[in-house]
Amino acid sequence: MPTNAYGNIPVSSRINRLGAFYPLLTARWLGLGRVWARFRTSGTTPVLLPRDRAGHGPAVGREAVGATIKTMPFSLARVLAGLLALAPVFALPLAKPAEAKDELVIGMTQFPATFHPSIDSMLAKTYVLSMARRPLTMHDARWELGCMICVSLPTIENGGAVPETIPDGKKGVAVTFTFRPGLKWGDGTPLTSRDVAFTLEVGRHPQTGVSNQEFYRSLYKVDAKSDDTFTLHFDKLTFDYNAVNDMGLLPVHLEEKPFRADPAAYKNRTLYDTDTANPGLYYGPYRIAEVTAGSHVVLVPNDTWPGAKPRFKRVVVRVIENTAALEANLLSGAIDMIAGELGLTVDQAVAFAKRHGERFNVIFKPSLVYEHLEPNLENPILRDKRVRQALLHALDRETIVQQLFAGHQPVAHTGVNPLDWIHNPEVRKYPYDPKRAAALLDEAGWSVMRGGFRHNAKGERLSFELATTAGNRTREAVQQVLQSQWRAVGADARIKNQPARVFFGETVRKRTFPGFAMFAWYSAPENVPRTILHSSHIPTEANNFAGQNYTGYANPEMDRLIDAIEVELNREKRRALWKRFQDIYAEDLPSLPLFFRADAFVLPKWLAGVEPTGHQGVSTLWIENWRVQK
Amino acid sequence: MTRFLATRALQSALVLAVMSFAVYGLMGLMPGDPIDLMIAADPKLTPEDANRLRALHGLNRPILARYADWLWLALQGDFGYSRLMSRPVPDAIGPALLNTLKLMGAAFALALLIGLPAGMLAGARPRSRLDYAVNALAFAGISIPSFWLGILLIIVFAVLLGVLPAGGVAIGGGGWTETLRHLALPVATLAVAGIAGQARYMRAAMAETLRQDYIRTARAKGAGETRVVLGHALRNALIPVATVIALDFGALFSGALVTETIFAYPGMGRLIYDAVMGNDFNLALVALLFATLITLVANLLADVTYVALDPRVSFEERDA
């Protein structure tokens, strides 16, 4: 077994985003004097290399630069000395935030398209808005559901939720919430049940542009008991009846006017986009004070927030799409931290931690993002379960995650994350076992080896396409390993990648990938993958390619399990159903699990209280706990 | 002159109409639509929601009908709403255009102020040390990729020296010093290639002009070298350079995607790229048409400059 899976090229150099230019980002490695000396002596184009391949770099900081200047010719030294002389003039404003530490500058890679809580679903928006507003409930860092702005979590056991029969005779549920005392919008207007009712009206309206109306279709009525107590009536009783994580409350006193004027034009007239800095739109620990499109968002403490007071006087979220520039900004002090939810990929963060681990805390949090291979089950080769099992046995996923991600991304055995309480640790696993893979392929009829590849009795080659999003360096690196490991057992994977919008917008959506499609699914704790695995969600031309069961997987028992899990309220009974679900998944392999992605948080040593969750509840939901470490 | 301008205006209108149709059509031919992008971000989005959103945004209608609607409204001055920026298209383009003008304008000015004199001096003294030096630096400037130079400048001036911001724009608008500080590195990155290019063009034009007979005559009449270069050669040497300058002027408004991305600078380059990739038809279309319009205007300016610089050329001759 070679030291890495790619031959003689170090893995670290393959995963560097900017290839040979990447070391330039490392201030420690940048020896200007040495480079100049090399240029002078060789007379060729300078090549920037680490100063010391043994790992001993020069001292970091201004002293090091000063020392370097002495090795340069007079003219260049004068130029740099001149710049250094000017430095105090320019440097003063830059140094201020770092010294004061009452401002936190967060870097991330995406800018929100809208600030309206319900229109469009974008992680960047969720990240920013979570500082300025809160959902009724949310799963915490231990993945337990709890109240965020309600007094207590209503359950059937405590009488807060009552099963009921809805008007059409089906079983529904009425869930009663009470707001925490003192909740007010940023302009001092109290948050009331009227806001909840208005939010439902906007959410259910077909023309408002609310993207995901599934929640609002299920929530068919709001009864106001008092200003701060209200009952939500849902048209079905599912196990997650009291999880109201996605209801973005709207201020009726501000948003009613543009909504009533023209619901169809509301998405263009909402104050969240036309007057984003209006304090009355927010009720969280912070409120948005300034937005510069495509550049940054500034948040300041919201004086009306009744909870724990936030510690920073100003939070700036800067958007830097290029991750190399993001790192450079962090090293220069222009930003204090990189958001784990929208920042560096794990391979980039691993490389960053190696170089700058002494200056920053790099935290890796395994998340619910599930990287996997989806086979098109209409492909006669991949339709055979034994072939899918063999191909999974042929992959050394442990080595892949160790080599590429330093072990920070756990190998997946099904789509259920090991951190989820429903996870079954006893589920069938597919360890790296080329002999078992070969035996399974022989059994499936792919037993004739010719030209290094397996063939069947008809002379057909064991060959299939392996497609993913072009330009995604991490996926492309993984893809190469998969190809080489499959080749070792005689399977021919032909790589055919496409730009993301072609891949997702056409190929995957219309199921035109002939072999495997490699991508990730995002989910939530105890997420029921109805749209992904239920046979009623297979996209076809007849249903206008609706649904996300892209593999075409159809198993009546799986369908029944999905239906049963959703409405089973008893936790232990549900655990048993989930166990069966995972057993079937591991046996059938409707998709080949690879690993769960991790979020990489790059934090300054002085920052404490940031608690990554790994699920859809972003870390900024608890920003009032973030503080400067003494 | 009037006939010339009228003809050009008509041609420009035709080019814009063709461009608008081509851009709209090409974007429509791209696989997927904005709702597909939403589904990729939110797998819980049901087919019912996807169909509702497609109808709401008019994406379920034939592309020709959508284009006709857009054109009709655009002719009335309504350029629509940017889905990605959640604001009317002119409001979305305005700040980005202003940022780009600051960035590209400063880089362009530097390129002219440094590149033209350097090229002129090099061209006036061919094969001198100065000429070799200008040539070497110009080749280096043209050859250095902007993304590499940008990162290098960030490392040196933001990371190592800590004297300039690594990118972005000043928070709260900032004062003019803050604006200048934030512009310094991206302007320098763009200016290097600009200076090099202008120097090369100017050098070649000046060297060529100085080989002309009338220059020899001027020297024979006893004119000093400064007078020969500035008084006799410069005006003619500027004629070919004016074309390049005019075309570069068009780029002032379309931004510099790579530099803007490296420095997280919210200009027109990133705006157009994001709009195309995000399937924001209205924003992409208007931004691209605006860039086209400016290029057309720049070409017109180049033609007018020809006439101003070269008495042998006139609008009448062109009309004929």
Side-chain angles (χ1 to χ4, degrees):
Chain A
M1 184 72 194
T3 52
N4 66 63
Y6 312 113
N8 58 1
I9 302 171
V11 171
S12 59
S13 69
R14 281 183 172 262
I15 63 179
N16 278 345
R17 197 163 175 98
L18 287 178
F21 295 104
Y22 210 62
L24 286 174
L25 288 174
T26 316
R28 179 178 280 258
W29 282 359
L30 189 69
L32 288 178
R34 185 73 59 92
V35 171
W36 180 258
R38 181 187 286 257
F39 180 64
R40 296 262 296 171
T41 51
S42 69
T44 57
T45 306
V47 179
L48 296 175
L49 290 171
R51 287 193 69 174
D52 186 338
R53 288 215 178 266
H56 307 297
V60 180
R62 289 157 203 246
E63 295 79 5
V65 174
T68 306
I69 288 173
K70 290 173 189 167
T71 69
M72 297 180 188
F74 178 66
S75 56
L76 187 58
R78 258 179 44 183
V79 171
L80 280 179
L83 287 167
L84 280 172
L86 286 172
V89 178
F90 292 108
L92 281 175
L94 196 73
K96 197 178 171 186
E99 285 165 4
K101 288 209 172 48
D102 54 5
E103 178 182 84
L104 180 69
V105 186
I106 304 171
M108 66 179 194
T109 54
Q110 193 181 55
F111 196 86
T114 172
F115 287 93
H116 191 284
S118 305
I119 296 174
D120 215 332
S121 52
M122 222 177 158
L123 189 52
K125 181 186 74 175
T126 307
Y127 189 85
V128 173
L129 285 188
S130 292
M131 298 183 238
R133 31 184 312 117
R134 295 286 155 83
L136 270 169
T137 65
M138 183 48 75
H139 293 86
D140 62 16
R142 286 160 296 287
W143 295 28
E144 293 292 335
L145 186 68
C147 264
M148 292 223 79
I149 55 167
C150 48
V151 171
S152 63
L153 192 66
T155 63
I156 292 174
E157 292 75 23
N158 68 19
V162 180
E164 62 182 5
T165 303
I166 62 172
D168 67 1
K170 289 182 190 163
K171 190 183 274 189
V173 64
V175 191
T176 301
F177 288 93
T178 300
F179 280 136
R180 279 168 58 172
L183 275 176
K184 288 177 183 169
W185 298 97
D187 57 4
T189 307
L191 193 71
T192 69
S193 304
R194 280 191 65 223
D195 296 312
V196 182
F198 174 68
T199 302
L200 173 64
E201 190 181 352
V202 172
R204 284 178 73 90
H205 199 288
Q207 289 185 304
T208 48
V210 170
S211 51
N212 193 337
Q213 286 194 321
E214 184 64 14
F215 173 81
Y216 295 106
R217 274 192 292 272
S218 178
L219 170 62
Y220 67 94
K221 192 169 72 170
V222 174
D223 277 339
K225 306 283 184 193
S226 66
D227 270 358
D228 62 354
T229 301
F230 52 92
T231 300
L232 306 179
H233 295 271
F234 294 95
D235 68 355
K236 56 190 170 196
L237 178 56
T238 56
F239 68 83
D240 54 350
Y241 61 88
N242 56 0
V244 187
N245 299 349
D246 300 324
M247 189 177 193
L249 295 178
L250 302 172
V252 64
H253 66 291
L254 294 177
E255 288 286 275
E256 188 172 26
K257 194 174 168 186
F259 172 68
R260 299 266 178 252
D262 182 2
Y266 172 67
K267 65 180 185 299
N268 299 341
R269 293 179 183 169
T270 168
L271 267 61
Y272 282 99
D273 291 322
T274 57
D275 187 17
T276 312
N278 188 325
L281 299 170
Y282 310 102
Y283 56 90
Y286 285 96
R287 61 179 174 82
I288 293 177
E290 181 191 329
V291 174
T292 298
S295 174
H296 61 261
V297 180
V298 179
L299 298 108
V300 296
N302 177 12
D303 296 335
T304 65
W305 170 245
K309 294 296 171 200
R311 321 293 175 94
F312 295 98
K313 288 180 183 167
R314 189 161 82 155
V315 174
V316 180
V317 180
R318 271 197 183 277
V319 176
I320 303 164
E321 291 171 350
N322 181 279
T323 49
L326 193 64
E327 281 190 32
N329 274 268
L330 184 68
L331 294 172
S332 73
I335 59 174
D336 296 314
M337 59 171 277
I338 297 176
E341 292 87 346
L342 277 166
L344 304 182
T345 58
V346 165
D347 50 347
Q348 290 168 337
V350 167
F352 182 86
K354 279 181 190 161
R355 297 193 302 265
H356 306 290
E358 77 287 355
R359 287 178 59 195
F360 298 93
N361 290 326
V362 183
I363 300 170
F364 297 91
K365 178 72 179 179
S367 75
L368 280 161
V369 182
Y370 169 55
E371 282 283 352
H372 65 287
L373 298 163
E374 295 223 340
N376 189 331
L377 296 178
E378 286 177 11
N379 180 317
I381 297 173
L382 302 178
R383 192 188 301 150
D384 189 332
K385 185 166 72 178
R386 292 167 299 184
V387 172
R388 301 200 296 274
Q389 292 173 339
L391 291 176
L392 195 52
H393 268 306
L395 298 179
D396 188 357
R397 291 171 295 163
E398 284 293 349
T399 301
I400 292 173
V401 298
Q402 286 298 332
Q403 291 288 330
L404 282 180
F405 312 120
H408 294 298
Q409 305 205 119
V411 168
H413 301 294
T414 69
V416 176
N417 192 296
L419 295 174
D420 209 332
W421 73 272
I422 57 173
H423 178 251
N424 171 24
E426 307 303 322
V427 74
R428 177 176 176 179
K429 296 178 179 65
Y430 292 82
Y432 177 53
D433 188 348
K435 284 183 184 169
R436 176 75 184 129
L440 279 165
L441 289 174
D442 285 343
E443 191 184 319
W446 300 96
S447 53
V448 183
M449 285 294 276
R450 200 161 58 230
F453 293 107
R454 288 176 177 271
H455 293 72
N456 63 10
K458 293 181 199 166
E460 293 164 341
R461 189 149 92 166
L462 179 58
S463 178
F464 45 83
E465 273 188 14
L466 172 57
T468 191
T469 45
N472 184 319
R473 302 291 290 256
T474 306
R475 285 205 182 117
E476 286 172 345
V478 172
Q479 199 178 30
Q480 289 174 45
V481 186
L482 304 185
Q483 186 185 41
S484 68
Q485 293 187 342
W486 277 336
R487 186 180 178 126
V489 295
D492 175 25
R494 288 170 282 113
I495 291 175
K496 188 179 178 186
N497 295 342
Q498 297 173 332
R501 60 173 304 147
V502 180
F503 185 68
F504 290 118
E506 193 77 14
T507 306
V508 171
R509 185 169 80 92
K510 295 187 176 172
R511 302 180 61 222
T512 55
F513 56 100
F516 282 110
M518 180 164 68
F519 60 96
W521 281 125
Y522 294 75
S523 68
E526 202 179 353
N527 178 60
V528 183
R530 170 177 287 279
T531 60
I532 296 169
L533 290 176
H534 201 283
S535 60
S536 62
H537 285 262
I538 299 173
T540 61
E541 198 161 4
N543 67 10
N544 198 22
F545 300 104
Q548 282 118 44
N549 185 345
Y550 300 129
T551 63
Y553 177 68
N555 179 335
E557 187 183 0
M558 184 63 98
D559 288 352
R560 282 196 297 276
L561 272 170
I562 288 172
D563 293 339
I565 287 171
E566 279 184 340
V567 295
E568 179 53 66
L569 302 183
N570 183 290
R571 200 170 156 102
E572 285 314 307
K573 285 182 184 172
R574 210 159 69 244
R575 188 196 295 275
L577 292 173
W578 275 116
K579 181 177 181 304
R580 180 64 189 144
F581 170 95
Q582 290 165 79
D583 288 344
I584 295 176
Y585 192 103
E587 176 64 24
D588 284 1
L589 291 179
S591 65
L592 271 56
L594 292 176
F595 48 85
F596 288 100
R597 265 199 238 157
D599 291 335
F601 292 74
V602 185
L603 310 173
K605 294 277 185 186
W606 51 262
L607 183 64
V610 180
E611 202 170 8
T613 65
H615 55 69
Q616 81 282 20
V618 293
S619 54
T620 48
L621 277 171
W622 295 272
I623 194 169
E624 60 270 39
N625 299 333
W626 297 12
R627 63 191 183 279
V628 176
Q629 199 157 240
K630 301 291 181 198
Chain B
M1 171 87 174
T2 312
R3 189 177 161 198
F4 170 74
L5 289 178
T7 309
R8 290 298 290 267
L10 202 65
Q11 286 172 351
S12 300
L14 192 66
V15 170
L16 284 175
V18 171
M19 267 295 287
S20 71
F21 182 74
V23 172
Y24 208 97
L26 285 173
M27 285 188 68
L29 286 176
M30 287 168 74
D33 62 30
I35 311 306
D36 289 322
L37 301 179
M38 280 188 196
I39 293 171
D42 180 9
K44 283 184 173 177
L45 204 69
T46 62
E48 187 181 352
D49 282 330
N51 291 335
R52 174 181 53 84
L53 291 168
R54 283 200 176 91
L56 187 66
H57 292 280
L59 297 169
N60 54 351
R61 300 173 59 222
I63 191 147
L64 275 177
R66 282 153 54 194
Y67 172 71
D69 285 354
W70 177 87
L71 190 61
W72 175 244
L73 289 172
L75 288 173
Q76 297 170 66
D78 180 358
F79 294 103
Y81 199 82
S82 163
R83 194 183 53 78
L84 280 184
M85 306 285 282
S86 296
R87 63 192 67 187
V89 167
D91 292 356
I93 290 180
L97 186 62
L98 189 65
N99 285 335
T100 286
L101 275 177
K102 286 180 198 165
L103 173 68
M104 304 292 282
F108 188 58
L110 274 180
L112 295 184
L113 286 174
I114 300 174
L116 291 184
M120 190 180 73
L121 290 172
R125 295 178 179 78
R127 295 189 197 84
S128 66
R129 284 188 176 187
L130 177 73
D131 184 29
Y132 287 130
V134 169
N135 268 323
L137 289 172
F139 279 124
I142 291 169
S143 309
I144 293 173
S146 59
F147 77 89
W148 183 86
L149 179 63
I151 289 180
L152 190 68
L153 289 176
I154 289 174
I155 291 170
V156 174
F157 292 99
V159 178
L160 286 178
L161 302 178
V163 294
L164 289 169
V169 294
I171 292 168
W176 65 270
T177 48
E178 270 303 289
T179 304
L180 285 180
R181 291 179 69 249
H182 280 83
L183 277 172
L185 294 185
V187 164
T189 304
L190 287 170
V192 164
I195 291 168
Q198 298 296 351
R200 289 288 304 154
Y201 288 127
M202 190 65 212
R203 181 205 172 274
M206 181 57 78
E208 175 63 28
T209 307
L210 287 174
R211 282 196 288 269
Q212 300 296 313
D213 288 346
Y214 72 90
I215 296 294
R216 195 169 55 222
T217 306
R219 285 189 174 125
K221 285 164 71 179
E225 195 59 21
T226 307
R227 181 171 168 75
V228 167
V229 171
L230 295 180
H232 295 273
L234 182 60
R235 186 165 166 173
N236 277 332
L238 276 175
I239 293 173
V241 178
T243 310
V244 179
I245 293 174
L247 290 175
D248 281 356
F249 179 76
L252 283 182
F253 300 86
S254 53
L257 174 62
V258 174
T259 306
E260 287 174 12
T261 303
I262 290 289
F263 290 99
Y265 192 82
M268 287 292 281
R270 272 177 64 199
L271 185 89
I272 293 172
Y273 177 80
D274 289 343
V276 171
M277 297 313 289
N279 230 325
D280 191 338
F281 276 71
N282 292 345
L283 185 58
L285 196 54
V286 175
L288 285 169
L289 287 182
F290 185 75
T292 307
L293 178 67
I294 295 300
T295 305
L296 292 170
V297 171
N299 272 295
L300 180 63
L301 276 178
D303 287 348
V304 173
T305 312
Y306 275 141
V307 177
L309 290 172
D310 190 346
R312 293 166 299 181
V313 183
S314 73
F315 292 119
E316 284 69 29
E317 285 173 47
R318 282 167 173 265
D319 292 343

